[in-house]
Amino acid sequence: MRVNRIRPARLGTITVFALAGLLFWVSFSVSGGSNIRTDDSLLQMSDLIRERGRDNARLESDAAELRAEVDALTKRENPADPAGSERLARVEDAAGLSELTGDALTVTLTDAPADAVPLLPGLPDPLPNDLVIHQQDLQAVINALWAGGAEGIQVMDQRLISTSAVRCVGNTLILQGQLYSPPYTVTAVGDREALRSALDEDPTIQNYRAYVDAYGLGWKVEESTDVTLPAYTGSTALQYAGPAE
């Protein structure tokens, strides 16, 4: 009796078609019939962040005007308590709720060019992550300036307070509801020599500056006199997690 056997070549063809069918089915299940090869979702998220940033800026402006009215009314209702007004002024200064003027140091961090190549012999070609500013880079600069005795710090156009959080999403910075792109500037008022020394001694910044030399990341430190940092005008209400009901 003759027994028909599946030849290896035919068996391979059947296996290929079966795997292809499985891949098509998995892709359809994941995508729900939509195109999963586009960046539409990422673009929509970026647009949403920018829209929320504009809304936050408008709301913060309205809140600042209302707080200014409250401050004016408070001072008008308590004219006979100069000691209390002085204490309030000191607290506002320490909290970053009033303007601050003095000598300053400004640090600017910038992404390297997208087509950057090694600037030193013997180095490998850079990866994409080697060419952009990361959250830890910005945070290292801010922490070093505080450690160097900064009296106040401004990132981009916003004054930092004790509850400020620096967060990076991709190659953008989200700070107190606003969205920023590089170059990033950090300005600190204080003893410029002490501030510069703190930057030079920080190990995280030393690592960052190694990439500056290797691949061309941007790093610039400038000294200024009589710089005025704006008062923080956002909300000072604390938000915290609570138990689910």
Side-chain angles (χ1 to χ4, degrees), residues 209-233:
R209 295 185 67 174
Y211 282 82
V212 172
D213 297 334
Y215 300 118
L217 282 169
W219 172 263
K220 182 168 64 174
V221 180
E222 299 174 292
E223 296 186 359
S224 305
T225 57
D226 293 330
V227 172
T228 298
L229 304 186
Y232 174 77
T233 58

Side-chain angles (χ1 to χ4, degrees), residues 124-135:
D125 289 335
L127 298 174
N129 275 343
D130 298 332
L131 305 178
V132 297
I133 308 301
H134 293 282
Q135 179 173 313

Side-chain angles (χ1 to χ4, degrees), residues 161-245:
I161 61 171
S162 60
T163 57
S164 299
V166 174
R167 297 187 179 92
C168 289
V169 178
N171 65 337
T172 58
L173 164 67
I174 298 178
L175 176 61
Q176 294 164 174
Q178 301 300 312
L179 186 68
Y180 302 94
S181 298
Y184 301 123
T185 59
V186 183
T187 301
V189 167
D191 184 311
R192 292 175 296 188
E193 184 175 346
L195 295 174
R196 188 181 287 274
S197 177
L199 292 173
D200 292 339
E201 295 173 1
D202 187 274
T204 305
I205 295 176
Q206 290 173 2
N207 180 69
Y208 172 84
R209 295 185 67 174
Y211 282 82
V212 172
D213 297 334
Y215 300 118
L217 282 169
W219 172 263
K220 182 168 64 174
V221 180
E222 299 174 292
E223 296 186 359
S224 305
T225 57
D226 293 330
V227 172
T228 298
L229 304 186
Y232 174 77
T233 58
S235 173
T236 56
L238 296 178
Q239 298 181 354
Y240 53 89
E245 297 181 356

Side-chain angles (χ1 to χ4, degrees), residues 71 91 138-141 175 183 187 196 245:
D71 290 343
V91 170
L138 269 172
Q139 195 65 63
V141 171
L175 176 61
T187 301
R196 188 181 287 274
E245 297 181 356

